Amino acid sequence: MIRIAEMIPTDKPALRELFLQIRQQTFHWMDTSKFNISDFDKETDDEHIFVIHFNNTVAGFISFWQRDNFIHHLYIASEFQQKGLGTMLLQTLLEKTTSPVTLKCLKKNKRALIFYEKNGFTKKGTGIANNETYVLLEYGSIK
């Protein structure tokens, strides 16, 4: 059974673990020893968070900065990837907000870039943050 809901306090321990583990796996070219379990709280402070549960297990989340219509994080636990859960989370968020929605994706994160483009995001530019090149992506812009 799959369920998507707003984050509740009891989700946080599992989300902290998931955030740390998936960042360590995904951003393997970085010094992942600098990633900490407490990063989740700092990185998602004041963000709106939806959590996806698979058979009552936290399987992933999406965090969103509402003020700027900006997706900050979308992470799915390894064992639940390639099952459509990321797309479900993304669609849930897109249905609950106005367009356009933007996000930044590191250029080296090729799997994520493909995922976002398959889900209707278009490239709007590039930039550099923390010595990493990112791609600015947008969904639902008015042409």
Side-chain angles (χ1 to χ4, degrees):
M1 182 179 92
I2 297 170
R3 178 174 56 89
I4 297 175
E6 292 186 31
M7 182 188 74
I8 58 174
T10 56
D11 291 329
K12 270 198 172 184
L15 291 172
R16 288 179 184 123
E17 287 288 338
L18 184 148
F19 188 65
L20 178 60
Q21 290 172 359
I22 299 305
R23 288 174 70 220
Q24 289 171 331
Q25 292 168 10
T26 302
F27 305 116
H28 53 84
W29 64 87
M30 295 180 177
D31 181 2
T32 59
S33 68
K34 294 181 180 178
F35 296 162
N36 295 298
I37 196 77
S38 62
D39 291 344
F40 175 80
D41 295 354
K42 290 181 257 180
E43 291 277 335
T44 62
D45 188 39
D46 287 332
E47 294 184 355
H48 195 87
I49 300 171
F50 288 101
V51 179
I52 191 161
H53 297 84
F54 188 87
N55 292 335
N56 296 317
T57 299
V58 171
F61 75 95
I62 189 168
S63 71
F64 183 69
W65 187 253
Q66 289 179 302
R67 206 173 312 161
D68 297 327
N69 271 7
F70 182 79
I71 296 172
H72 194 197
H73 299 286
L74 193 163
Y75 289 95
I76 302 295
S78 298
E79 63 268 29
F80 298 110
Q81 291 179 7
Q82 303 298 311
K83 297 183 185 315
L85 302 184
T87 299
M88 288 179 204
L89 268 175
L90 189 57
Q91 290 304 314
T92 296
L93 175 73
L94 293 173
E95 289 169 6
K96 295 182 183 292
T97 190
T98 59
S99 295
V101 173
T102 59
L103 63 90
K104 293 176 184 176
C105 184
L106 293 181
K107 191 173 182 178
K108 290 181 182 178
N109 194 354
K110 298 198 184 303
R111 278 183 65 195
L113 286 170
I114 292 167
F115 168 81
Y116 288 117
E117 288 177 346
K118 281 174 69 174
N119 281 283
F121 283 78
T122 56
K123 295 178 183 175
K124 291 296 179 182
T126 60
I128 297 177
N130 301 321
N131 297 318
E132 293 284 343
T133 302
Y134 66 82
V135 178
L136 179 64
L137 298 162
E138 186 176 72
Y139 179 89
S141 62
I142 299 170
K143 297 178 181 161

